[in-house]
Amino acid sequence: MKKILVVALGVMVLSGCSMRVADLTVGSTKNYNINGNKFVTGPRVSAEDSYPVIIFPTGFPNMKTAIDRAIEKDKCAVGLSNVVITQLNYSFLFGKIGVRAEGNLIIDRSLPGCENHI
């Protein structure tokens, strides 16, 4: 009986889940001219905002922060296309919680210094 209890407790501690929250065609937290004609699609990027859990969460994950971090991976990016937002929960008493944003960068070639950006 103790062996089963230990195995069950181990499974609960090591288990976690992630849940798809949103699928967006375009997502951005930056102000930009949507009617611009110098946009190109960049590489797929992923970023997350997460906090450790030590019995209680040490912070609250924010979707805006995750999207900001993904966009800021390139200085010429103004948004993301084909965005997937995922909620992370890998904790029981210890672990982490968070939000992950993943998408293709939208590069604005009209920004200063971005004319020849791939």
Side-chain angles (χ1 to χ4, degrees):
M1 183 65 180
K2 281 187 177 184
K3 194 175 194 178
I4 293 173
L5 184 62
V6 169
V7 169
L9 184 62
V11 168
M12 286 186 353
V13 168
L14 296 175
S15 70
C17 66
S18 62
M19 179 174 43
R20 186 175 244 170
V21 176
D23 291 315
L24 308 169
T25 303
V26 176
S28 182
T29 58
K30 309 292 183 196
N31 292 326
Y32 68 96
N33 180 8
I34 196 165
N35 294 321
N37 59 357
K38 294 195 174 189
F39 295 120
V40 294
T41 302
R44 190 143 184 96
V45 295
S46 178
E48 64 181 50
D49 182 30
S50 61
Y51 292 93
V53 174
I54 305 169
I55 301 179
F56 294 105
T58 59
F60 298 101
N62 189 328
M63 186 184 317
K64 181 187 181 313
T65 305
I67 293 172
D68 279 341
R69 288 179 181 167
I71 294 171
E72 290 166 359
K73 289 193 174 192
D74 190 311
K75 70 178 182 79
C76 297
V78 293
L80 299 171
S81 64
N82 300 322
V83 184
V84 176
I85 305 293
T86 307
Q87 179 181 358
L88 310 170
N89 185 5
Y90 299 111
S91 67
F92 178 62
L93 294 175
F94 301 96
K96 80 173 187 174
I97 59 171
V99 176
R100 179 185 305 131
E102 181 179 350
N104 298 325
L105 289 173
I106 299 173
I107 308 296
D108 187 356
R109 286 187 171 174
S110 66
L111 293 174
C114 299
E115 296 83 16
N116 297 324
H117 199 301
I118 296 175

